[in-house]
Amino acid sequence: MAAFWQQRGRRQENGGLGSVIDGLGSVFDVLLANARLVLGVSGAAVLAIATLAVKRLIDRATSPRDEGDPKAEQKSLEESWQDLALIKTTPKPPKKQRREDLSEPLLSPARPLVPGEAPDPRGSSAPLGAPQVKSSPLRCLTLQEKLLSHSSQLAVPEIQVSLVPQLARSICTQLQNFLRSKCPELPFGRFFLSGALLDGLEVLAADHIHLMLPVVLDAGLWSLISGEDTVVRNPQYWMIKRIDLGYFPRGCSPWDRFIVGRYLSSSVLNETLHKLLVASINWPAIGGLLGCAIHPVVASRELKLEVKHDQVDLSITLFPVVEMEDKVLLAVPPEGLVENLWLESFYRAEVSRVKQLDAGDSGARQLCLRILNGVCKSQPSLHKLGGSPVTHVLLHLSDAASDWAEESLADRFQQVLEELVASLEKGILPSYFNPKINLFSGLLEEEIDEMGFVLYRAISEPEVLL
């Protein structure tokens, strides 16, 4: 009894700490007594563990130290760290259930046991009523899976797929009617649309389309001369020469008005059409009829229309096109003093060849091409690689690699990147249809270096492009 009063006296000397502790002890007892009613079984267990640890800390702090034990202070610190660890590792009480969760069963109904079947020993070890939670480990996606997932994100919205061709055809019809009434002497063929959207190769958004204006020439009055045989020494361009002027003088062909130096000038034809588009056509009236706003681009060298609709913004580029001797020539002269050149287009042959190869072996070339076009469209530094350059690399690779099944998509994608880097290093990409044509001839050295750097880094980690 004397020892008790001596200990109590020491507590009173410490600023009345003993009375405070007695009060805290009473509070803890009341909390523990009512915890089960308030917090439930699990909550009461958590509170009890935490309370026990706190009480042990308080008792150890207020109990007399053994003066003869030099390790008492170190031992007290170690026990205090253990108690704190006990508090930290205490399991958290379960989250309070929502009202709507109470109607959901915790366990799936047990499968009835078939007569003669032994019970599953794996299920007998778990306590009754304890739900079994299966942890699903994190799974790293392969390049194949990432490519297939990325391809699903490239789809053009359905509203654009249906609206854009319909709107462009309506503009095409209005333009053809105007040219027939304004220039009836010029034998334009039937206008038609072209572009990746119509061929199922468009990605992300249907924001551009091509409108082709066929220029019908009399084969007896015109002939083709390869650009390789001219001063430009470029086989990708052609010149259309007026022939037999001694027997058929100027004026025999309605296109003679566009001749410059005995050659049909693509620049003069474009300038004439540009003036008609800008100054002669009542685009506000046509736009009001079609429910959109149409504006010709005045400052562009191309024949371009900007169309704004409530659901889409569309760019339409017009190309006068000549089809002669199995060649498709566009009125797209290169920049410079030469204005009589026509650019040979391989787009129709490209798409036809890709689809033909896929139909022959159920390949994934079109899927690979769509992904590559999407990469080039989303990467500003790779814009000039989209379209023909990527398609020609893919066609070259098709001759070397025979396995184009969807399961080999990742391997083929990687190979296309490697072929592009190799071509950029040399600065040469031969056309699939004419090896004399270098599809990189129009690129600047800085553009080649930038594209090569981006793709070279992507070879070791292709996912950075997706």
Side-chain angles (χ1 to χ4, degrees):
M1 183 64 100
F4 171 77
W5 287 109
Q6 184 179 3
Q7 183 178 358
R8 183 174 181 180
R10 290 178 182 176
R11 293 178 179 176
Q12 290 176 353
E13 289 175 2
N14 292 330
L17 183 60
S19 59
V20 174
I21 294 174
D22 293 340
L24 289 175
S26 302
V27 173
F28 289 152
D29 293 338
V30 173
L31 288 175
L32 290 175
N34 296 275
R36 184 168 183 175
L37 295 176
V38 178
L39 302 176
V41 176
S42 58
V46 172
L47 182 59
I49 294 173
T51 303
L52 176 61
V54 174
K55 290 180 68 177
R56 286 171 60 185
L57 287 173
I58 296 175
D59 291 341
R60 190 173 294 111
T62 56
S63 61
R65 298 178 181 176
D66 189 355
E67 301 295 339
D69 188 1
K71 298 183 180 180
E73 183 175 358
Q74 180 67 23
K75 182 178 179 182
S76 176
L77 288 174
E78 293 177 357
E79 292 177 350
S80 299
W81 283 113
Q82 294 174 1
D83 293 337
L84 288 177
L86 177 64
I87 296 175
K88 290 182 179 180
T89 56
T90 302
K92 296 182 180 180
K95 184 177 66 174
K96 184 177 179 181
Q97 288 183 321
R98 298 175 300 174
R99 182 180 298 271
E100 55 268 25
D101 295 337
L102 298 177
S103 60
E104 299 179 359
L106 294 178
L107 293 175
S108 58
R111 182 176 62 89
L113 191 64
V114 179
E117 179 183 3
D120 189 359
R122 294 175 297 179
S124 59
S125 60
L128 184 62
Q132 298 180 357
V133 179
K134 295 182 179 180
S135 60
S136 57
L138 294 177
R139 179 167 167 265
C140 295
L141 297 178
T142 63
L143 177 60
Q144 174 80 10
E145 293 169 330
K146 290 180 179 179
L147 288 173
L148 294 176
S149 175
H150 183 72
S151 66
S152 63
Q153 303 172 10
L154 299 176
V156 179
E158 287 295 332
I159 183 63
Q160 296 184 12
V161 173
S162 59
L163 177 61
V164 167
Q166 178 182 356
L167 186 60
R169 288 190 182 96
S170 300
I171 296 175
C172 177
T173 301
Q174 295 293 328
L175 181 59
Q176 179 147 30
N177 292 338
F178 169 81
L179 289 179
R180 283 179 176 175
S181 61
K182 184 71 174 179
C183 309
E185 72 283 1
L186 296 179
F188 284 105
R190 184 175 182 82
F191 295 6
F192 62 94
L193 301 179
S194 178
L197 176 64
L198 302 178
D199 298 312
L201 299 176
E202 186 61 272
V203 293
L204 298 177
D207 53 1
H208 67 282
I209 200 167
H210 297 161
L211 175 55
M212 317 305 286
L213 314 179
V215 176
V216 181
L217 299 178
D218 187 347
L221 300 178
W222 304 91
S223 66
L224 298 182
I225 298 178
S226 173
E228 192 177 11
D229 300 329
T230 65
V231 293
V232 296
R233 300 296 181 188
N234 190 338
Q236 193 172 3
Y237 289 92
W238 293 76
M239 301 183 76
I240 304 176
K241 185 178 181 180
R242 178 69 158 84
I243 60 175
D244 292 336
L245 286 176
Y247 295 97
F248 304 98
R250 288 198 178 195
C252 292
S253 172
W255 302 105
D256 285 345
R257 56 187 286 193
F258 303 104
I259 287 180
V260 174
R262 296 188 63 178
Y263 296 96
L264 182 62
S265 174
S266 54
S267 296
V268 174
L269 179 58
N270 279 337
E271 291 172 1
T272 302
L273 292 174
H274 189 274
K275 292 178 182 178
L276 292 175
L277 291 177
V278 172
S280 301
I281 302 179
N282 188 356
W283 291 116
I286 296 177
L289 180 66
L290 301 179
C292 61
I294 306 174
H295 303 284
V297 181
V298 178
S300 175
R301 293 180 68 248
E302 299 178 320
L303 304 175
K304 186 174 292 187
L305 301 174
E306 297 292 344
V307 181
K308 293 187 177 297
H309 190 272
D310 292 339
Q311 297 174 315
V312 67
D313 289 341
L314 178 63
S315 174
I316 301 179
T317 306
L318 287 68
F319 291 103
V321 55
V322 172
E323 297 190 35
M324 286 183 62
E325 302 178 9
D326 298 328
K327 302 290 189 298
V328 179
L329 307 178
L330 304 181
V332 184
E335 295 185 6
L337 299 177
V338 182
E339 58 182 13
N340 298 334
L341 296 178
W342 293 70
L343 176 67
E344 184 174 5
S345 172
F346 298 102
Y347 177 77
R348 187 185 303 173
E350 294 165 6
V351 175
S352 176
R353 181 59 177 164
V354 170
K355 291 186 176 181
Q356 179 185 4
L357 291 172
D358 272 354
D361 58 8
S362 301
R365 294 173 185 83
Q366 296 177 74
L367 176 60
C368 185
L369 185 57
R370 290 182 69 250
I371 296 175
L372 290 166
N373 284 335
V375 168
C376 294
K377 193 170 186 178
S378 60
Q379 298 277 344
S381 59
L382 302 179
H383 279 179
K384 292 189 176 181
L385 278 183
S388 287
V390 169
T391 306
H392 283 250
V393 171
L394 186 142
L395 289 174
H396 283 302
L397 190 58
S398 295
D399 292 340
S402 58
D403 185 9
W404 280 89
E406 187 174 295
E407 293 76 12
S408 303
L409 176 61
D411 295 335
R412 301 290 84 81
F413 181 83
Q414 184 87 24
Q415 281 186 288
V416 172
L417 295 183
E418 294 172 357
E419 291 295 327
L420 280 171
V421 170
S423 299
L424 289 169
E425 286 178 348
K426 296 180 293 185
I428 299 175
L429 175 58
S431 168
Y432 181 79
F433 302 99
N434 186 354
K436 296 180 180 180
I437 297 176
N438 178 18
L439 298 181
F440 287 164
S441 61
L443 296 178
L444 301 176
E445 186 176 352
E446 295 79 7
E447 295 173 334
I448 292 179
D449 291 341
E450 184 177 6
M451 290 187 290
F453 173 75
V454 173
L455 294 178
Y456 180 79
R457 188 178 58 174
I459 289 179
S460 58
E461 193 178 356
E463 294 83 357
V464 300
L465 298 177
L466 305 180

